[in-house]
Amino acid sequence: MGTFTDINVTMPTQIKQDIAIRNVKKYFKATMAVMNKILGTNLDVVENYRTEDAEFVVVMMGAGAETMKDVVDYYRDKGIAVGLVRPVLFYPVCTEEIAYGIQSSKVITVIEKVAEANE
């Protein structure tokens, strides 16, 4: 992006960036499909873990989400309907996939780690 220098240089670049961001999810999904075939996995842009009937859903990204799966299993064994929505693709936001994961929930919690200003 950068600074505005010349209309003949800046505008074509901005148009190409706009086209790229509109298509990134489609190409990311296609790449994941190839990866899934090679690795024998079933990953998607958003992982919905035990959310089909979840009344409580935790939305969480990153390495902590793997630990949260154990927490979900623990509470499921105790009869509490908990699920996890883990976005894999951060931007552009996969709104349809996230909405699917939280559709049956009554309570949604978003867990985010933010570094303090002093760190």
Side-chain angles (χ1 to χ4, degrees):
M1 292 192 185
T3 59
F4 185 84
T5 54
D6 180 11
I7 193 75
N8 294 326
V9 174
T10 303
M11 289 311 291
T13 303
Q14 294 290 36
I15 291 168
K16 288 177 184 175
Q17 287 176 343
D18 185 55
I19 291 169
I21 201 66
R22 289 174 192 246
N23 292 308
V24 71
K25 184 172 141 181
K26 175 175 63 173
Y27 293 122
F28 192 86
K29 282 184 144 203
T31 304
M32 287 185 92
V34 171
M35 182 188 72
N36 285 333
K37 188 173 182 181
I38 293 169
L39 298 176
T41 56
N42 190 23
L43 298 173
D44 200 356
V45 291
V46 173
E47 179 182 8
N48 292 311
Y49 183 73
R50 299 186 79 171
T51 59
E52 311 80 39
D53 62 342
E55 293 182 17
F56 306 95
V57 172
V58 176
V59 180
M60 184 177 193
M61 292 181 69
E66 290 300 317
T67 304
M68 186 57 71
K69 287 182 185 179
D70 293 334
V71 174
V72 167
D73 292 338
Y74 174 82
Y75 281 106
R76 283 288 181 148
D77 290 344
K78 297 201 174 289
I80 301 171
V82 180
L84 170 68
V85 173
R86 181 179 72 98
V88 176
L89 180 62
F90 181 71
Y91 186 78
V93 178
C94 302
T95 53
E96 296 88 7
E97 293 84 353
I98 293 172
Y100 178 79
I102 63 174
Q103 66 184 345
S104 66
S105 64
K106 295 178 181 173
V107 177
I108 302 165
T109 301
V110 178
I111 298 178
E112 178 183 7
K113 182 187 180 300
V114 179
E116 291 188 30
N118 296 334
E119 289 187 271

